């Protein structure tokens, strides 16, 4: 079976795909029922969601970290509007030292605190992983997906927290 690709909107390799119509590309990815969204709890995500929730207009004040900030806010707004209580498709992860911060309106009864909840996160991700002809999950595919996810999380938390 085919594994799942970890997509990080900050990834330089995605810029070519994003350049022509970034909002359309993001909506297509987020609306795909086979896409699982892993949101890293961070100061930027919390502030963006807080400002969006308090705003009555489309003007959202956010913490600007780089040129991708507006696109991240767009993603977060879409996730908030369309996936906030979809436990099958949305997970929020955080590291133990980040416990004070919380994206409370998103899947409020589930948090994956890493590294303690890594097995639960792996099981959640595996729910849509590829299966071979004997109905066995392809172990190398799962391991690659988890490596990609860990790399994206490490990159995001080191740059934006």
């Amino acid at each position: 079976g085919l594994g799942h690709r970890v997509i990080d909107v900050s990834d330089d390799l995605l810029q070519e795909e994003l350049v022509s119509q970034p909002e359309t590309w993001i909506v297509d990815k987020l609306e795909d029922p086979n896409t699982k969204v892993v949101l890293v709890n961070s100061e930027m995500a919390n502030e963006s969601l807080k400002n969006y929730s308090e705003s009555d207009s489309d003007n959202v004040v956010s913490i600007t970290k780089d040129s991708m900030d507006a696109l991240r806010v767009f993603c977060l707004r879409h996730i908030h509007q369309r996936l906030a209580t979809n436990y099958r498709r949305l997970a929020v992860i955080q590291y133990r030292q980040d416990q004070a911060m919380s994206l409370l309106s998103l899947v409020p009864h589930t948090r994956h605190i890493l590294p303690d909840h890594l097995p639960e996160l792996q099981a959640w991700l595996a729910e849509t992983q590829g299966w071979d002809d004997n109905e066995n999950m392809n172990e190398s595919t799962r391991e690659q997906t988890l490596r990609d996810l860990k790399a994206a999380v490490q990159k995001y938390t080191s740059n934006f927290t």
Side-chain angles (χ1 to χ4, degrees), residues 11 13 19 24 26 29 37 57 78 106 114-115 145 150:
D11 190 339
L13 299 175
V19 74
T24 302
I26 286 178
K29 297 294 181 199
V37 178
S57 68
H78 189 85
L106 302 176
L114 299 181
T145 299
K150 286 178 186 178

Side-chain angles (χ1 to χ4, degrees), residues 9-57:
V9 294
S10 300
D11 190 339
D12 293 336
L13 299 175
L14 288 180
Q15 298 312 304
E16 192 173 315
E17 290 180 50
L18 287 169
V19 74
S20 62
Q21 294 182 316
E23 289 87 3
T24 302
W25 185 90
I26 286 178
V27 168
D28 288 347
K29 297 294 181 199
L30 291 176
E31 289 296 317
D32 180 348
N34 295 315
T35 297
K36 289 203 170 192
V37 178
V38 177
L39 183 61
V40 179
N41 188 8
S42 66
E43 179 184 351
M44 183 171 62
N46 280 285
E47 283 298 314
S48 296
L49 188 57
K50 177 183 171 198
N51 290 331
Y52 168 67
S53 298
E54 292 173 354
S55 174
D56 293 329
S57 68

Side-chain angles (χ1 to χ4, degrees), residues 143-154:
E143 289 172 4
Q144 182 62 47
T145 299
L146 291 172
R147 278 194 299 272
D148 292 347
L149 176 66
K150 286 178 186 178
V153 168
Q154 287 173 346

Side-chain angles (χ1 to χ4, degrees), residues 60-72:
V60 177
V61 178
S62 64
I63 300 171
T64 302
K65 296 288 184 181
D66 62 16
S67 61
M68 294 299 293
D69 189 54
L71 202 52
R72 283 190 202 93

